[in-house]
């Protein structure tokens, strides 16, 4: 694992800026690995997967008002984390749960928890294949149909303090999932 960060303070601690970058690899992740059902069961819960995580987090804060009885601060946060299933000991896909038509999966080379289900058939150039009635054709093989992991997350917080009372407002967003 590698992590580097900085925490900077300015203007008598009224302005703060901090940032962190991390890159880690988790080995021996526990998953239900499929086995031949001739053993009397269909899967075994085992340490075997490997996942790579890389991300960045940035925080910016400013104390707009600082007095004896009243404070007002504003802060913003940005986070982006990318994870990839690096190795699953030769298993192509492991079901992590979900509905019959769509499930979350661990798929080697994909982010953990990708959505798996039936897909629309596409040409080599990526365009949709339509049948003679103008409806999209269903692909005969299931596969990855989406990634529920956000590209980035962000928040904006404002807080007011009066004597021993504090009120905070949080606006939060997840983009790209």
């Amino acid at each position: 694992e590698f992590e580097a960060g900085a925490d900077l303070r300015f203007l008598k601690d009224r302005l703060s800026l901090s940032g962190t970058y991390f890159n880690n690899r988790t080995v021996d992740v526990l998953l239900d690995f499929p086995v031949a059902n001739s053993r009397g069961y269909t899967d075994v819960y085992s340490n075997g997967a490997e996942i790579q995580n890389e991300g960045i987090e940035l925080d910016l804060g400013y104390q707009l008002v600082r007095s004896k009885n009243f404070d007002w601060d504003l802060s913003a946060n940005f986070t982006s984390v990318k994870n990839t299933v690096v190795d699953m000991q030769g298993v192509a896909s492991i079901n992590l749960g979900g509905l019959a038509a769509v499930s979350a999966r661990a798929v080697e080379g994909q982010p953990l928890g990708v959505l798996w289900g039936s897909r629309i058939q596409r040409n080599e150039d990526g365009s949709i294949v339509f049948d003679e009635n103008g409806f999209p054709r269903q692909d005969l093989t299931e596969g990855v149909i989406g990634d529920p992991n956000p590209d980035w997350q962000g928040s904006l917080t404002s807080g007011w303090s009066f004597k021993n009372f504090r009120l905070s407002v949080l606006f939060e967003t997840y983009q790209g999932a």
Side-chain angles (χ1 to χ4, degrees):
E1 179 172 333
F2 173 78
E3 183 172 339
D7 187 20
L8 308 171
R9 305 290 171 152
F10 306 97
L11 305 172
K12 296 181 182 178
D13 284 344
R14 290 182 75 163
L15 176 65
S16 65
L17 174 64
S18 56
T20 303
Y21 167 80
F22 66 89
N23 189 332
N24 67 26
R25 187 173 290 241
T26 305
V27 296
D28 292 333
V29 176
L30 285 164
L31 292 174
D32 276 327
F33 284 88
V35 294
N37 59 5
S38 60
R39 292 182 174 187
Y41 46 91
T42 58
D43 48 49
V44 60
Y45 197 58
S46 176
N47 299 62
E50 191 171 318
I51 299 173
Q52 178 77 33
N53 290 294
E54 182 178 19
I56 185 169
E57 183 169 4
L58 302 171
D59 293 299
L60 177 65
Y62 188 67
Q63 194 167 29
L64 299 164
V65 177
R66 183 190 302 168
S67 68
K68 182 178 177 182
N69 292 322
F70 180 74
D71 290 334
W72 178 20
D73 55 74
L74 188 63
S75 62
N77 175 279
F78 171 84
T79 304
S80 178
V81 178
K82 304 292 181 219
N83 72 60
T84 305
V85 177
V86 179
D87 183 26
M88 292 198 319
Q89 300 181 355
V91 176
S93 170
I94 295 177
N95 189 343
L96 302 175
L99 303 173
V102 177
S103 62
R105 297 278 178 117
V107 179
E108 196 169 303
Q110 297 286 331
L112 183 65
V114 291
L115 302 177
W116 184 276
S118 62
R119 302 179 289 185
I120 293 174
Q121 194 174 33
R122 297 186 179 268
N123 290 319
E124 290 183 21
D125 65 357
S127 62
I128 297 173
V129 175
F130 295 97
D131 67 13
E132 59 279 354
N133 297 316
F135 293 104
R137 284 193 182 175
Q138 186 171 352
D139 196 332
L140 298 178
T141 58
E142 291 185 339
V144 175
I145 58 174
D147 180 5
N149 302 298
D151 293 335
W152 63 274
Q153 304 174 131
S155 66
L156 183 63
T157 306
S158 186
W160 301 269
S161 296
F162 180 72
K163 295 189 178 185
N164 290 328
F165 297 100
R166 177 148 179 91
L167 174 67
S168 294
V169 176
L170 169 68
F171 296 98
E172 192 171 38
T173 185
Y174 297 85
Q175 297 296 315

